[in-house]
Amino acid sequence: MFRWKGIIFLAVLIGLFIVLGLVFTDQWLEQQLEKTASYMVGARVEFDDLDFSLSKVRLKWQRLQVTDPKHTMTNLFETGESDLDLEFWPLLSKKVIVEDFRIHNFRTSTARKEDGRLSEKEKHEKPNFVIRALSALGGRVQQQSLSSLSTVKKNLNVDSLLKHLNLQSPQKIDSLQRALSADYQSWKTRFASLRIKEDIAQTRASLKGIDLKKIKKLDQLLAALKKIDAAKKKIKDTRQKYMTLKTDFEVQLKRSKEGLRLADDWIKNDYKRARSMAKLPDISLTNIGKFVFGPTLVNKVQTYLGYITTVRHYASKLKSDKPPKAKPPRLKGQDIYFYNPNARPDWWIKKIDLSGQTSDGLALSGLIQNLVSDQRQIHKVTKIHISGENNRKTRLELAGTLNYLGVSPRENFRLDYRHFPLKGKNLIRSSVLSTTAKNGFGKIAARADLQGDTTQLTIQFDAAGLNLLTEIKGRKTTEIQRILGQTIDGMHRLDLSAFLTILKGRSSLKVKSNLDRQLAARLKSVVGERVNKAAQKIRKEMDARLQPQREKLARLISTNEKQLKDQIASYQQMLKEQQSAADRKKKEIETRIAREKNKLGKQLKGLFK
Amino acid sequence: MFGLDLLAKLFKILRSEDSPNKIAFGFVMGMIIGLTPLWTIHNLILIVLIVILRVNIGASLFGYIIFGMLAYVLDPVFHSFGYYLLVDVAVLHGFWARLYQIPVVALSHYNNTVVIGSLVSSIILFIPVFFAMKYFVVWYRRVVDPKLQKLRIVQIFKATKFYRMYEKIKIIGG
């Protein structure tokens, strides 16, 4: 039954496999971990000297570098020697349970020797609601940035602008006009085919034919009454037709009105697009903060919220009871996760002890608890607490909670960073100028609350003892750049409050700062006038092109509507007249019939006397 | 050449001295390996069984090649069937969830739609294919092979330069 040669071959093969395993496991594991982590982060993750000991069930490495996906020559963070103790038996159930994870020499924003960018093939985008909403906000904020102020042209070439804009309203108005013309034509046909006028004429003739003066006898009166009743019935039927026509026509009237409103919207939209293409900024007191700090703020927020939502992406991936059917590559299939409340999670790092320093040299220590694949299985939320301080009174505290126990995921973070030196820090960075602090200390208090698809973020930044140096960019200094530079450099204190809200995919950013008032007046006097002139020029040219068409449409609607409305009113009038004529005649006949009956009654009484 | 090689392999298996049972058993084992993704625990067990048991290894290889090609074509069907078993059949959810917690079983990757879809399909096919193959071997040996060997065309073909060359190439190519 057994093939002994086969058994020997297998034994040799297993032996070889064990030997190769001992030699290459670390290398293989390092590659696998790097590949998976890079895929999750979106930039290269590298382990140095990874060592896995099966006998001690321990994993350790000498160095870990996680590239910042936005600046791939910088590490988001890197660690020194780190090790983690694993539980053995869960590994056989494909579960990774880490009792203790010790990270030493944790450092942020360290320089990389090699670019950590992933190739296009390796990249894996995970668009989520925050990134989507913030990308849109980023676009809007970019339009209202310092560079947009300096690009407002004195002499705007509206012709060329409108040529490139490809106005959409003329075409739309044209097709609406054609549709309405067809509608009116069909209404006219319907009016004619209903023959209301003819019906009324027929009734009128039949009523006219009843000459009461010529009628002498009772039976003639009764016959006339019958004719009148028939005429009245005809009037009733015609009225019914008229009423249906009138009701339907009212719908048409509404449609025409709506059409006109739509045309106005299309024109408005074209105007908005033209303004946006001309890059005309909206300078108001509330917008100055956005102009100056908006792009930098949105960029930073996008980065940090991006990390949070990546965590959420992987945490909620396992929550779906009925995962949607995917279209995996051939022979790969789709992995289905089975939630079991009584089982241990797929992976669980119970505790991460962290020690290290920031790029400013601030000594850090932190504790992260219960980082887990599915919080519902341990009934605990993930808690993060990192703090640090130095003898120069600089203090940092970051606390956060990731809560995926409920139906909608919740994350909240609180950052308190006090008395940190600003020397050498780039406070404003744009394509037109760059401001660096020569001196000063800053304080940041930030709070981020994410629940479901709602995000609220508040940032309060205060800087004191400032000495700023602004460097103007570009070959030629513009007046706007000069004003900006002067105002910013004259500041010794800066306070900034930013409020960011994302609600159902829509984001809004409000920025207030003490720079607003100082800049607003000066900028308005220079840029405001230029913006207004350019806007007026665009409006005038667009009106010249679009208004005639809009008026033509309005004329078409009003002419046809008037014509049809008049016709309806004339029908109503005719029907009313015929109705009252019929009623009058009927009453007269009925009176005469009553009189005749009386006469006959008296005659009968005379006979029996 | 691949098709011819495959046909030659089949004839070699059918005319080997192994019993129809061994050939059929080897063939169905190869079928499971071919239909399901290769790097799974059950395939490892099957490979071990093929090596240590006296089944026809050639038949296993033949089954693997034939059903391996078929698996590529049937992949969307296996994915849909696997998704149906893992997700749509609510009665089985508890079973899968319990299975997921059993050591080693969890490593078998059964929670993958293609793995479970193709594995269940091959288990369903196991007995019918086994008996069909067994019957085919018996029938071939009893009815077809004697007739085939007597056929003039086979004898002529075997005597041709082309066949001799093919035999040589086969030997050189291993």
Side-chain angles (χ1 to χ4, degrees):
Chain A
M1 190 187 171
F2 290 105
R3 201 192 316 261
W4 289 106
K5 275 183 190 171
I7 293 171
I8 293 164
F9 168 74
L10 209 67
V12 171
L13 201 73
I14 291 168
L16 203 69
F17 185 75
I18 291 169
V19 172
L20 287 175
L22 286 173
V23 179
F24 294 112
T25 300
D26 292 348
Q27 221 171 329
W28 176 82
L29 196 64
E30 192 175 304
Q31 275 177 3
Q32 291 303 312
L33 284 174
E34 282 180 350
K35 200 175 152 190
T36 313
S38 301
Y39 175 83
M40 288 167 86
V41 173
R44 209 160 290 291
V45 173
E46 286 161 308
F47 288 90
D48 288 355
D49 300 325
L50 185 122
D51 177 34
F52 176 65
S53 162
L54 192 66
S55 56
K56 292 178 192 164
V57 206
R58 173 183 276 190
L59 185 72
K60 65 175 183 181
W61 59 80
Q62 293 304 315
R63 189 187 185 196
L64 162 69
Q65 295 181 80
V66 178
T67 310
D68 184 343
K70 290 213 162 178
H71 309 100
T72 49
M73 283 307 291
T74 309
N75 284 321
L76 194 63
F77 66 85
E78 84 168 79
T79 75
E81 191 184 332
S82 307
D83 63 291
L84 50 110
D85 296 324
L86 298 155
E87 285 184 26
F88 177 74
W89 292 109
L91 288 176
L92 295 179
S93 304
K94 220 172 138 187
K95 293 175 191 297
V96 178
I97 311 291
V98 178
E99 279 296 328
D100 207 355
F101 187 2
R102 292 162 294 272
I103 299 173
H104 302 289
N105 203 10
F106 177 88
R107 282 165 295 153
T108 55
S109 309
T110 53
R112 286 181 61 84
K113 279 185 186 162
E114 284 170 16
D115 195 348
R117 191 189 308 269
L118 289 182
S119 66
E120 286 305 313
K121 214 174 155 189
E122 294 168 294
K123 269 186 188 168
H124 172 68
E125 292 291 325
K126 299 173 290 294
N128 53 59
F129 81 100
V130 170
I131 302 298
R132 272 197 300 271
L134 287 179
S135 300
L137 178 67
R140 290 205 305 273
V141 165
Q142 208 58 48
Q143 273 184 1
Q144 296 182 334
S145 66
L146 287 179
S147 43
S148 73
L149 286 179
S150 59
T151 52
V152 181
K153 290 175 186 161
K154 274 181 187 166
N155 295 310
L156 187 72
N157 187 344
V158 183
D159 274 339
S160 148
L161 176 89
L162 295 184
K163 204 172 151 190
H164 284 99
L165 182 68
N166 184 19
L167 291 173
Q168 288 172 355
S169 43
Q171 266 183 334
K172 287 181 178 171
I173 294 175
D174 199 40
S175 60
L176 175 68
Q177 203 166 336
R178 263 180 279 136
L180 285 176
S181 293
D183 279 357
Y184 291 133
Q185 196 50 50
S186 80
W187 272 105
K188 282 172 188 167
T189 318
R190 189 172 164 190
F191 269 65
S193 69
L194 280 175
R195 304 178 63 84
I196 293 176
K197 222 171 179 176
E198 285 77 356
D199 287 351
I200 294 170
Q202 213 180 333
T203 319
R204 186 186 289 142
S206 121
L207 285 174
K208 238 181 184 175
I210 304 164
D211 190 354
L212 290 173
K213 284 174 189 163
K214 286 181 184 168
I215 296 170
K216 306 284 179 198
K217 293 176 183 168
L218 184 62
D219 54 343
Q220 284 175 320
L221 278 172
L222 287 171
L225 188 65
K226 248 183 193 172
K227 263 188 185 177
I228 285 176
D229 280 341
K232 276 190 87 167
K233 195 179 172 292
K234 182 100 181 161
I235 292 168
K236 198 182 165 191
D237 291 345
T238 314
R239 179 177 286 278
Q240 193 60 46
K241 264 201 256 180
Y242 159 79
M243 287 309 287
T244 317
L245 186 76
K246 198 182 165 195
T247 318
D248 290 351
F249 187 65
E250 270 160 11
V251 176
Q252 172 66 44
L253 285 178
K254 267 187 197 163
R255 208 182 141 202
S256 306
K257 259 184 204 160
E258 180 66 14
L260 210 54
R261 200 188 54 75
L262 267 177
D264 288 338
D265 283 352
W266 293 331
I267 292 171
K268 227 183 259 173
N269 208 25
D270 268 346
Y271 177 67
K272 232 186 199 173
R273 284 174 52 233
R275 222 190 127 110
S276 142
M277 200 180 227
K279 291 176 181 158
L280 297 184
D282 173 20
I283 304 166
S284 62
L285 194 63
T286 52
N287 273 338
I288 297 293
K290 245 194 249 185
F291 276 119
V292 182
F293 303 104
T296 318
L297 260 170
V298 171
N299 198 11
K300 292 254 184 229
V301 169
Q302 200 167 7
T303 306
Y304 294 115
L305 289 188
Y307 299 140
I308 299 173
T309 48
T310 301
V311 174
R312 180 190 282 192
H313 170 81
Y314 287 103
S316 55
K317 211 175 167 182
L318 304 177
K319 282 194 82 171
S320 169
D321 288 333
K322 191 174 176 183
K325 194 175 173 184
K327 260 194 170 179
R330 264 184 194 258
L331 306 177
K332 292 283 177 208
Q334 180 186 355
D335 287 342
I336 309 291
Y337 168 73
F338 297 104
Y339 170 61
N340 183 342
N342 304 316
R344 297 185 91 184
D346 281 1
W347 57 267
W348 181 13
I349 305 173
K350 292 183 181 176
K351 198 175 91 178
I352 301 177
D353 287 308
L354 186 140
S355 69
Q357 58 181 23
T358 63
S359 53
D360 307 333
L362 189 76
L364 286 179
S365 68
L367 181 68
I368 301 168
Q369 288 169 292
N370 300 314
L371 209 55
V372 65
S373 59
D374 193 337
Q375 290 181 347
R376 294 171 301 171
Q377 288 173 316
I378 61 165
H379 309 288
K380 283 173 186 166
V381 298
T382 306
K383 284 182 181 169
I384 300 160
H385 187 265
I386 297 168
S387 63
E389 59 185 318
N390 63 16
N391 50 14
R392 293 192 302 270
K393 290 182 189 167
T394 308
R395 245 187 66 196
L396 176 130
E397 193 179 1
L398 171 73
T401 316
L402 310 173
N403 186 343
Y404 304 124
L405 290 171
V407 180
S408 67
R410 286 184 71 171
E411 297 91 359
N412 55 64
F413 283 89
R414 187 174 49 78
L415 170 76
D416 197 9
Y417 196 12
R418 287 164 189 264
H419 204 70
F420 58 94
L422 290 169
K423 191 179 176 182
K425 293 258 189 260
N426 206 218
L427 294 185
I428 302 165
R429 192 183 294 167
S430 85
S431 57
V432 290
L433 57 83
S434 157
T435 301
T436 312
K438 286 200 282 184
N439 271 316
F441 286 92
K443 188 174 99 177
I444 289 182
R447 197 182 164 85
D449 289 294
L450 291 89
Q451 181 167 14
D453 57 0
T454 306
T455 301
Q456 278 188 319
L457 178 75
T458 53
I459 301 169
Q460 177 66 47
F461 172 69
D462 295 301
L466 281 176
N467 192 354
L468 300 170
L469 180 68
T470 299
E471 186 198 333
I472 307 292
K473 290 181 182 174
R475 272 180 289 174
K476 216 169 141 189
T477 307
T478 63
E479 202 181 348
I480 297 157
Q481 282 175 311
R482 195 179 49 77
I483 294 170
L484 287 166
Q486 276 178 359
T487 318
I488 294 167
D489 283 353
M491 294 178 71
H492 298 291
R493 193 184 62 79
L494 176 68
D495 58 69
L496 172 92
S497 311
F499 309 93
L500 176 94
T501 317
I502 301 173
L503 187 65
K504 289 177 184 163
R506 287 176 163 265
S507 54
S508 77
L509 173 71
K510 280 181 195 163
V511 183
K512 276 187 202 167
S513 86
N514 60 339
L515 192 65
D516 299 348
R517 268 176 220 288
Q518 296 183 41
L519 266 179
R522 294 185 73 179
L523 278 178
K524 259 190 175 173
S525 66
V526 181
V527 191
E529 199 186 335
R530 215 181 283 173
V531 170
N532 284 342
K533 267 190 186 166
Q536 276 168 11
K537 208 171 170 187
I538 293 174
R539 170 64 85 189
K540 202 177 159 193
E541 186 58 39
M542 284 186 70
D543 279 351
R545 290 184 189 200
L546 301 175
Q547 281 310 319
Q549 216 179 344
R550 197 243 175 229
E551 275 161 22
K552 199 177 159 194
L553 177 74
R555 254 197 323 273
L556 172 89
I557 293 172
S558 67
T559 317
N560 281 288
E561 271 180 11
K562 192 179 177 306
Q563 212 176 337
L564 293 166
K565 267 183 186 169
D566 287 351
Q567 211 162 338
I568 283 185
S570 79
Y571 287 166
Q572 193 180 10
Q573 185 58 31
M574 281 191 278
L575 277 168
K576 207 174 157 187
E577 281 169 15
Q578 290 314 305
Q579 182 70 44
S580 55
D583 287 345
R584 217 172 35 241
K585 278 208 167 162
K586 191 177 177 180
K587 205 175 170 189
E588 210 173 314
I589 289 174
E590 279 170 350
T591 321
R592 281 193 53 191
I593 289 171
R595 215 185 296 149
E596 286 299 319
K597 275 182 184 171
N598 254 346
K599 221 191 264 176
L600 277 172
K602 277 177 188 170
Q603 279 172 1
L604 273 171
K605 273 182 189 171
L607 278 174
F608 290 106
K609 266 183 187 174
Chain B
M1 285 306 254
F2 178 70
L4 206 63
D5 204 19
L6 208 65
L7 205 67
K9 205 164 263 170
L10 176 68
F11 285 128
K12 205 175 154 188
I13 294 162
L14 293 172
R15 300 188 67 213
S16 69
E17 286 172 7
D18 277 342
S19 69
N21 270 340
K22 282 180 184 173
I23 293 174
F25 204 57
F27 184 73
V28 286
M29 280 174 149
M31 175 194 77
I32 299 176
I33 301 172
L35 282 180
T36 58
L38 187 63
W39 299 110
T40 44
I41 284 187
H42 68 265
N43 278 348
L44 199 71
I45 295 166
L46 282 171
I47 291 168
V48 170
L49 286 177
I50 290 168
V51 173
I52 64 168
L53 295 178
R54 286 191 176 278
V55 294
N56 188 302
I57 294 180
S60 301
L61 202 65
F62 185 72
Y64 169 68
I65 293 168
I66 294 290
F67 286 99
M69 287 189 289
L70 204 63
Y72 190 80
V73 180
L74 291 176
D75 178 76
V77 180
F78 290 150
H79 170 55
S80 296
F81 184 44
Y83 184 84
Y84 169 76
L85 291 173
L86 292 171
V87 180
D88 291 339
V89 186
V91 193
L92 290 174
H93 284 181
F95 170 69
W96 298 130
R98 271 195 299 278
L99 210 62
Y100 198 64
Q101 305 307 326
I102 300 171
V104 185
V105 177
L107 295 171
S108 68
H109 219 83
Y110 82 89
N111 62 326
N112 182 280
T113 51
V114 169
V115 172
I116 199 72
S118 57
L119 184 64
V120 173
S121 304
S122 26
I123 289 169
I124 294 168
L125 287 172
F126 190 91
I127 292 174
V129 173
F130 173 81
F131 283 107
M133 189 62 185
K134 189 180 160 184
Y135 177 77
F136 176 70
V137 175
V138 173
W139 174 75
Y140 177 84
R141 285 180 179 175
R142 202 183 61 227
V143 182
V144 185
D145 193 54
K147 283 182 188 168
L148 211 64
Q149 295 309 317
K150 276 180 202 165
L151 274 180
R152 200 166 166 73
I153 192 161
V154 174
Q155 284 166 1
I156 291 169
F157 181 69
K158 276 183 171 179
T160 58
K161 218 172 173 182
F162 174 76
Y163 183 78
R164 282 203 303 276
M165 227 162 79
Y166 169 70
E167 284 286 291
K168 270 183 197 170
I169 292 168
K170 219 174 80 176
I171 293 160
I172 294 163

